[in-house]
Amino acid sequence: MNTNTIMHGDMPGDKVEINDSHRTKAARILPVLLEKLEPIRAANPHGRAVVCVCGGSGVGKSEIASLLGQALQDGGLGCYVLSGDNYPHRIPAQNDAERLRVFRCGALKGLVGSGLYTEEVKNELLDLQRQDVDCDPAQTAGRPWLEVYQREGRKALAGYLGSDKEQDFAQLSDIISRFKNGAGSIYLKRMGRTPLDLWYDRVDFSDKKVLIIEWTHGNSDGFSGVDLPILLNSTPQETLEHRRSRNRDGGVDHPFTTMVLEIEQRLLESAAHKAAIIVAKNGDLLTYGQYRELMARG
C-alpha cells in the first residue's frame, strides 16, 4: 500500500508515518472489525456505521485509522477518516494556555481554602510560576503548601481535560447523527495551529458507509453515536516516548505535559469497558479482563 496516497485524517497539516507496527495492528484489527460492522450496518437504514480509534497522544491513532479506512475503501465500503483534533473549542496554543490557567486558578483557590496561603507563600509561588516550575513535583521538597497547590490544581485540570469545556462534543454528535441519517454531504470543521486556520469544508458522503473518528477522546461519554470504539492501549510513559519522537508542539518533557498525559490516561481507562476492540502495544487483541490485568501490572 502506497503511504503517499493512503487516506488519512482531515486535520490540516497532519501527516501519517506508517511503520510495520501500525500495519501489524491494523491487520489484526481488520477481520474483527469487518465482522462487527456487518450487523451494525444491517441495522442502519442507510447501511452506515461509525467507528472510533482512540488512545493516548502519539499511540498511532492516525496511522491505524488510515490503514483501516483504506482497507475498507479498497474492500468496497466507502470510508472517511475524521480527526477529532479539529473539534476543541480553541486552537492548540490557546488550549494549552487555557489548561495552564485552569490548573493555576484551581490550585490557588485550593491553597487559599486550605489556610496555607500567606504573603511569604504568595511571593515564593510567584517566583516558581515565573520559572514555570510550579507544577513540578520536585519543587515540593520543603514546601508542604506546594503539595496542596499541585493537588488542587490537578483536580481542576481533570475537570477540564476531555470535557465539553474543552471539546465541542455537541458538534461531533450532530455530525454523527447526520451521517447515520443518510446525509449526502456534511460541512466539517478544519482547525490548524493559528487563529486564521479555521474554516469548514463541504464533504461528499454519498458513497461513504463507514465514518472513522481518530481521536484521544473518541470513546468519551461526552458525545454519542459511535458504534465500534477501538482502543489502542499505551501507558503514560509509552505515550510520552511517542510524543518525544515527534515533538509536534514542544515542551514534551515538561511536568505539566506529564500531568496532562496522566489525566488523559485515567480518562481512557475509565471508558475502556466500552471498547469493542482493545489492542495492546505489541498488537495483541485483548479482552477487557486482560486489559485490566495488564494495566494492574503497570
Side-chain angles (χ1 to χ4, degrees):
M1 187 180 294
N2 186 347
T3 58
N4 292 322
T5 58
I6 190 173
M7 68 167 58
H8 56 81
D10 55 10
M11 185 175 180
D14 263 12
K15 297 179 181 178
V16 295
E17 297 181 1
I18 294 170
N19 58 36
D20 289 342
S21 173
H22 299 135
R23 294 187 184 92
T24 296
K25 291 178 183 178
R28 291 180 180 174
I29 293 168
L30 183 61
V32 181
L33 176 61
L34 287 170
E35 181 181 351
K36 291 180 179 293
L37 277 174
E38 189 173 343
I40 293 169
R41 292 188 56 242
N44 180 274
H46 305 281
R48 290 178 167 182
V50 177
V51 176
C52 80
V53 178
C54 62
S57 176
V59 75
K61 297 183 297 296
S62 299
E63 289 79 7
I64 291 172
S66 297
L67 288 167
L68 293 175
Q70 192 65 55
L72 293 175
Q73 184 86 8
D74 293 345
L77 285 179
C79 186
Y80 185 85
V81 180
L82 182 152
S83 174
D85 285 344
N86 281 313
Y87 293 90
H89 294 297
R90 302 167 182 85
I91 63 169
Q94 293 171 345
N95 195 44
D96 288 345
E98 179 64 7
R99 288 174 170 182
L100 185 57
R101 186 197 71 80
V102 167
F103 168 82
R104 285 178 170 165
C105 286
L108 274 168
K109 287 179 182 177
L111 187 57
V112 170
S114 74
L116 295 174
Y117 191 71
T118 65
E119 194 68 17
E120 181 182 355
V121 165
K122 179 182 78 172
N123 292 330
E124 192 170 0
L125 179 58
L126 282 171
D127 186 51
L128 292 172
Q129 289 176 337
R130 290 189 188 101
Q131 297 177 63
D132 196 24
V133 294
D134 53 306
C135 61
D136 186 353
Q139 298 296 324
T140 61
R143 299 185 178 103
W145 58 266
L146 189 60
E147 293 182 25
V148 174
Y149 172 89
Q150 291 181 2
R151 182 182 70 239
E152 296 302 312
R154 186 186 182 101
K155 287 180 185 177
L157 183 61
Y160 175 75
L161 292 176
S163 74
D164 57 5
K165 300 171 189 172
E166 182 182 46
Q167 310 294 338
D168 193 348
F169 288 122
Q171 189 168 183
L172 273 170
S173 293
D174 181 65
I175 290 167
I176 291 172
S177 176
R178 289 173 183 270
F179 174 74
K180 286 185 157 184
N181 285 317
S185 64
I186 304 173
Y187 276 101
L188 297 183
K189 182 182 174 185
R190 306 291 186 242
M191 177 184 283
R193 315 196 79 76
T194 75
L196 294 180
D197 294 329
L198 178 62
W199 71 95
Y200 283 77
D201 283 337
R202 187 173 183 175
V203 177
D204 182 6
F205 279 97
S206 58
D207 64 343
K208 307 302 182 189
K209 296 300 182 182
V210 181
L211 173 63
I212 297 180
I213 300 172
E214 57 96 0
W215 194 26
T216 297
H217 306 293
N219 201 19
S220 170
D221 288 331
F223 70 119
S224 59
V226 173
D227 298 302
L228 289 172
I230 300 170
L231 172 61
L232 306 180
N233 187 42
S234 66
T235 66
Q237 185 58 38
E238 289 166 348
T239 298
L240 186 60
E241 291 303 322
H242 281 297
R243 289 176 65 94
R244 283 197 185 111
S245 68
R246 67 179 185 174
N247 198 20
R248 188 169 67 180
D249 296 309
V252 169
D253 289 310
H254 195 280
F256 190 73
T257 300
T258 301
M259 184 184 298
V260 167
L261 294 179
E262 289 172 350
I263 294 171
E264 288 184 344
Q265 182 68 31
R266 300 290 84 77
L267 290 172
L268 289 165
E269 289 179 21
S270 69
H273 65 281
K274 299 187 298 177
I277 301 171
I278 302 177
V279 189
K281 187 175 184 294
N282 65 3
D284 288 346
L285 301 188
L286 306 174
T287 65
Y288 179 64
Q290 290 170 330
Y291 164 82
R292 293 307 310 167
E293 289 178 9
L294 181 65
M295 297 309 291
R297 294 198 302 266

